[in-house]
Amino acid sequence: MAPVADFEQMWRDLAPVGRSASSGGYFRQPFTAAERELDAWFVEQCRARDLEVERDRFGNTVAWWRPTGATGPAVLTGSHLDSVLDGGAYDGPLGVASALAAVDLLRERGHRPARPVGVGVFVEEEGSRFGLACLGSRLATGATDWEHARTLRDRDGVALEEALADVPRGEADLLAGVGCFVELHVEQGRDLVDRDAAVGVASAIWPHGRYRFDFTGEANHAGTTRMEDRRDPMLTYAMTVLAAEEQARATGQRATFGRVDVRPNGTNAVPSAVTAWLDARAETPEHLGAMLADVERRAQDRARHDGTGLTVTAESVSGAVHFDPDLARRLASPHGWPVIPTMAGHDAGVLSARGVPTAMLFVRNPTGVSHSPDEHAGTADCLAGVVALADTLERLT
Ligand code: GLV
Ligand code: MN
Ligand code: MN
């Protein structure tokens, strides 16, 4: 059996897995070799700690610490191990490694939890492979139905059901006895830097969504087709990017086109089609709806002008989340941790939306950069996060 590793050793063990030699970023898409290596590492670390590993049929995992006498609603912690394409080391794995280290610290302190404690890993939190954010937690909570999810396909046409075929799974309902969820996460902004705090607690998550824009036009020769004779979907797409940026700036919201497919993607041909994905986030569902409606209206106007076609499909929408305010206050007050909102989505938001009392702890990120190889948190802050999570679990159990 593998030895129990402390936080810093765990971090060193995880560092090379799925790391690109050229960018230094991580490619840990769900059910790929790198992500499976992380899964095997997690199970090994759980077994080294005598935690009982359970799986559900979607590939999610929870490892239980159930000392004699621990009964009643469980306290679940943990996060995810997958990454965005070329992502950072911390988004997800920090919450998993910190959860294991927090269990170790509680044991060192001699704490005997009165309730079971679970360390969980949800699959495909980023939606980087199948497009739906927080897919594992959505399936575990029933927020997304399997009949819909099983047919989702990745960029190579592999369906989720096929990708799961070789993944170790079980029959457990991992959330059945869970009374509370606490997810620790690297902060994805600079709020804690500005507040000079190593740790914070989340108050809310902005509503957000991913919308697929399918622009169609007419493939033609780049040299011989007069400019006025073209039906170029790239132009409509380009104008839509500018409209989204303008609208988001004007209203204080967020709009990003980070992914685009061009067909046939040849230098000397007017494209036949462009598919692009808008990631939109806003303070309230009304702001989100208004921003999307405005961008779509302007895109359709431009499509008429360009003689192109456009359809917009919502692929992944997450409502506003307001974390349990009493729980947030109870956790934050004794330590003076700031309580701050975030614009990033999390499995904690999915569980909260399904009625599980949920809290999030954030660990300071000195640059605020995330979803990037440059994402970072200092070791001292990570260790402060472990202590904060252990304190929180101790209080809750
Ligand atoms: C998840 O990290 C998201 O907000 O996209
Ligand atoms: Mn992320
Ligand atoms: Mn995350």
Side-chain angles (χ1 to χ4, degrees):
M1 196 186 281
V4 170
D6 66 14
F7 176 84
E8 288 178 77
Q9 184 58 50
M10 283 192 272
W11 210 248
R12 280 192 292 274
D13 292 344
L14 294 177
V17 184
R19 188 167 200 200
S20 154
S22 51
S23 70
Y26 289 90
F27 289 82
R28 294 166 167 173
Q29 279 56 68
F31 320 127
T32 59
E35 190 256 13
R36 287 296 94 195
E37 193 177 333
L38 295 179
D39 175 80
W41 167 86
F42 175 66
V43 169
E44 206 173 68
Q45 284 300 315
C46 292
R47 297 218 164 112
R49 289 169 171 80
D50 280 325
L51 306 178
E52 183 196 332
V53 175
E54 285 191 334
R55 310 270 203 180
D56 70 9
R57 64 196 181 102
F58 312 118
N60 300 309
T61 308
V62 173
W64 293 105
W65 177 24
R66 278 199 196 98
T68 320
T71 55
V75 176
L76 182 65
T77 182
S79 189
H80 61 97
L81 291 171
D82 64 303
S83 74
V84 295
L85 300 172
D86 214 10
Y90 296 79
D91 179 353
L94 183 64
V96 177
S98 299
L100 293 170
V103 166
D104 296 342
L105 183 54
L106 289 176
R107 284 173 164 170
E108 259 169 58
R109 287 178 184 173
H111 175 66
R112 284 188 69 81
R115 294 156 174 252
V117 176
V119 179
V121 174
F122 292 103
V123 292
E124 177 65 318
E125 191 271 351
E126 300 288 3
S128 64
R129 181 163 177 193
F130 293 100
L132 195 49
C134 299
L135 183 56
S137 55
R138 281 178 194 256
L139 286 165
T141 54
T144 291
D145 140 79
W146 172 244
E147 285 312 307
H148 166 64
R150 62 195 279 271
T151 61
L152 293 171
R153 290 186 184 274
D154 69 10
R155 294 168 204 233
D156 298 321
V158 178
L160 174 63
E161 192 168 32
E162 297 166 58
L164 274 171
D166 298 328
V167 168
R169 284 175 294 154
E171 289 301 317
D173 175 355
L174 299 176
L175 302 178
V178 170
C180 175
F181 179 49
V182 183
E183 180 172 359
L184 177 144
H185 206 277
V186 67
E187 199 203 347
Q188 297 169 293
R190 290 177 39 88
D191 218 336
L192 294 177
V193 175
D194 295 343
R195 293 164 189 266
D196 196 21
V199 172
V201 175
S203 57
I205 299 179
W206 276 21
H208 54 284
R210 300 175 184 191
Y211 308 88
R212 196 182 73 238
F213 282 58
D214 288 299
F215 303 92
T216 52
E218 182 182 51
N220 215 330
H221 195 288
T224 58
T225 316
R226 292 188 313 164
M227 298 311 281
E228 52 273 29
D229 290 344
R230 296 174 181 216
R231 295 197 291 118
D232 184 351
M234 187 70 96
L235 271 186
T236 321
Y237 159 66
M239 295 308 294
T240 304
V241 175
L242 296 179
E245 198 258 358
E246 195 178 286
Q247 186 62 14
R249 273 186 194 266
T251 58
Q253 318 302 328
R254 309 278 155 86
T256 308
F257 277 97
R259 177 181 170 195
V260 60
D261 285 345
V262 180
R263 283 177 301 280
N265 210 16
T267 308
N268 55 353
V270 176
S272 58
V274 172
T275 298
W277 283 260
L278 171 67
D279 178 310
R281 308 186 186 219
E283 224 175 320
T284 67
E286 293 71 31
H287 284 95
L288 183 63
M291 178 165 65
L292 193 70
D294 185 84
V295 172
E296 189 171 348
R297 181 185 54 72
R298 291 167 69 180
Q300 292 290 6
D301 286 351
R302 181 70 202 195
R304 270 187 293 280
H305 174 272
D306 294 335
T308 53
L310 168 62
T311 55
V312 180
T313 309
E315 286 197 340
S316 174
V317 180
S318 306
V321 171
H322 298 280
F323 290 111
D324 187 322
D326 294 333
L327 183 58
R329 206 172 310 116
R330 193 148 71 89
L331 301 184
S333 304
H335 306 275
W337 295 330
V339 181
I340 55 175
T342 178
M343 296 84 210
H346 299 284
D347 295 314
V350 174
L351 269 67
S352 177
R354 299 305 278 189
V356 179
T358 296
M360 287 195 77
L361 299 180
F362 290 132
V363 171
R364 174 166 53 194
N365 174 339
T367 61
V369 171
S370 185
H371 285 188
S372 151
D374 292 336
E375 180 183 86
H376 183 70
T379 302
D381 286 353
C382 291
L383 295 174
V386 170
V387 173
L389 183 59
D391 291 348
T392 298
L393 297 175
E394 185 168 349
R395 187 160 316 120
L396 295 172
T397 60

